[in-house]
Amino acid sequence: MNFEIVNPTSIKELLSEIKKLQKKNFRLAAGCTDLLLELKKNPIEDLTVINLTQITDNLFYSIKKTTSGLWIGAGVTASQIVNNEEIRKNYYTLYNAALNLASTQIRQVATVGGNICTASPSGDIACALVALESDCEIININGKKKRVSIKDFFVGPRKTIISKKDILYGVLVPMNKKGCQKIYSDFIKIGTRKSMECSVVSLASHIQVDKGDKIVHVGFAIGASAPTIRFIDKSPQFLVGKKIITLSTEDIQSFASLVLSYASPITDIRATAWYRREVLFNISKSIFENIEQ
């Protein structure tokens, strides 16, 4: 398989290269952990690969606190997320999703932008970012920026709203709510083996409670359970205002059933649809069953 490689060194140069290639086949590449496998399976003729690793733009490769939340550039690696104390402390679901991504070696090169734009229904980092209700910042070839909720970013298996004229520049994770005193945040990933495995089912959760243990905000997303990662948008109505440590068995069962109503799993080589539904129901219950009274 032969392809041409171009090496832009700035976002401006990157957008210029993309503009020139609008009528040709091209792909963006950073960690290449998904791209190489894809091209091996489905080679593309006359392909130009745009190498993103030479870009010197600071925001593209950084994690920074802002007045409205936490900025994570599209070029940030899974290892950078794992090693960031702010993420581990305040957005543990994202930390744990990155930590459980493949192997140590792959985490060194796999990027946030790649995990999102591949748009796999089992994308670990993407699932956590959906639960956190993050926004994606997109730049088009004319330099115009726009922000879109990541909940609306995925339109089908391996399909996003990104066009050939766009790039994903980064994501903004919103601040935890004012009055939040404690966070129950996690990422649960079930696979057929312990390492180097795509999720059979995954669940990202981010629960914020006040000083009286009352739930003030929640975010849940499921992976590998539907054509796209799905945000459980009815969970706030069900949980907000209740005390997390006094949820009844009936409450927990009802919540798990609510999560399951968003799932439409398939049977494939890794698991049956029935198994995925059973596992999703059980891990949804475990979020609250494991909270210490």
Side-chain angles (χ1 to χ4, degrees):
M1 178 175 57
N2 295 317
F3 50 81
E4 180 187 0
I5 300 176
V6 295
N7 299 285
T9 59
S10 67
I11 294 296
K12 183 177 180 180
E13 191 177 337
L14 168 62
L15 297 175
S16 177
E17 290 289 350
I18 293 173
K19 198 168 189 176
K20 289 189 292 185
L21 292 168
Q22 283 301 295
K23 295 183 179 180
K24 297 183 180 180
N25 294 319
F26 70 91
R27 296 298 301 272
L28 304 180
C32 295
T33 54
D34 289 311
L35 181 61
L36 291 177
L37 293 174
E38 180 187 330
L39 294 180
K40 185 176 180 180
K41 185 177 180 180
N42 299 302
I44 300 174
E45 294 296 326
D46 300 319
L47 177 67
T48 299
V49 174
I50 302 177
N51 176 24
L52 303 179
T53 63
Q54 304 302 308
I55 292 175
T56 56
D57 183 89
N58 188 40
L59 282 177
F60 191 73
Y61 286 105
S62 68
I63 301 172
K64 291 187 175 182
K65 289 182 71 172
T66 73
T67 55
S68 56
L70 190 71
W71 168 265
I72 304 174
V76 166
T77 66
S79 286
Q80 284 177 266
I81 289 175
V82 171
N83 293 326
N84 186 278
E85 183 61 23
E86 176 73 15
I87 291 175
R88 190 194 67 78
K89 180 181 177 181
N90 291 310
Y91 308 100
Y92 189 84
T93 184
L94 179 56
Y95 163 84
N96 208 25
L99 183 64
N100 282 279
L101 179 70
S103 66
T104 302
Q105 293 87 346
I106 289 178
R107 288 194 292 272
Q108 295 287 337
V109 294
T111 64
V112 170
N115 197 263
I116 295 172
C117 291
T118 297
S120 168
S122 59
D124 295 338
I125 290 174
C127 187
L129 289 169
V130 170
L132 291 169
E133 300 175 79
S134 307
D135 286 335
C136 295
E137 185 161 299
I138 299 167
I139 306 179
N140 69 17
I141 53 176
N142 297 315
K144 185 177 180 180
K145 296 180 180 179
K146 66 177 179 180
R147 283 189 179 170
V148 178
S149 171
I150 195 171
K151 293 183 287 185
D152 302 320
F153 190 81
F154 308 107
V155 296
R158 300 189 180 276
K159 294 180 180 179
T160 75
I161 62 170
I162 289 276
S163 75
K164 286 185 72 173
K165 296 181 179 181
D166 300 321
I167 64 164
L168 176 65
Y169 189 45
V171 294
L172 183 69
V173 182
M175 285 182 178
N176 291 316
K177 297 298 180 182
K178 187 176 181 180
C180 169
Q181 295 294 313
K182 192 181 292 184
I183 300 166
Y184 297 92
S185 186
D186 205 357
F187 179 78
I188 303 172
K189 174 179 178 177
I190 306 298
T192 56
R193 52 197 173 101
K194 289 186 178 180
S195 63
M196 296 293 290
E197 178 65 306
C198 291
S199 300
V200 167
V201 173
S202 61
L203 174 64
S205 60
H206 193 68
I207 308 166
Q208 303 172 51
V209 302
D210 64 15
K211 62 182 180 181
D213 287 320
K214 188 179 291 185
I215 299 170
V216 294
H217 195 79
V218 296
F220 297 92
I222 55 174
S225 304
T228 63
I229 295 166
R230 285 187 175 166
F231 182 75
I232 312 301
D233 55 13
K234 291 183 181 178
S235 56
Q237 299 97 300
F238 185 81
L239 291 171
V240 170
K242 296 181 179 179
K243 285 197 172 184
I244 193 166
I245 60 173
T246 58
L247 289 173
S248 67
T249 300
E250 185 180 52
D251 287 334
I252 294 171
Q253 291 273 355
S254 296
F255 170 76
S257 295
L258 172 64
V259 172
L260 205 57
S261 71
Y262 284 78
S264 53
I266 61 169
T267 294
D268 60 18
I269 194 171
R270 291 183 291 126
T272 64
W274 174 87
Y275 177 79
R276 285 187 162 100
R277 291 181 67 85
E278 290 295 306
V279 169
L280 182 59
F281 184 78
N282 287 326
I283 63 176
S284 298
K285 290 191 299 178
S286 74
I287 293 171
F288 299 100
E289 291 172 343
N290 295 332
I291 289 175
E292 294 183 3
Q293 299 294 312

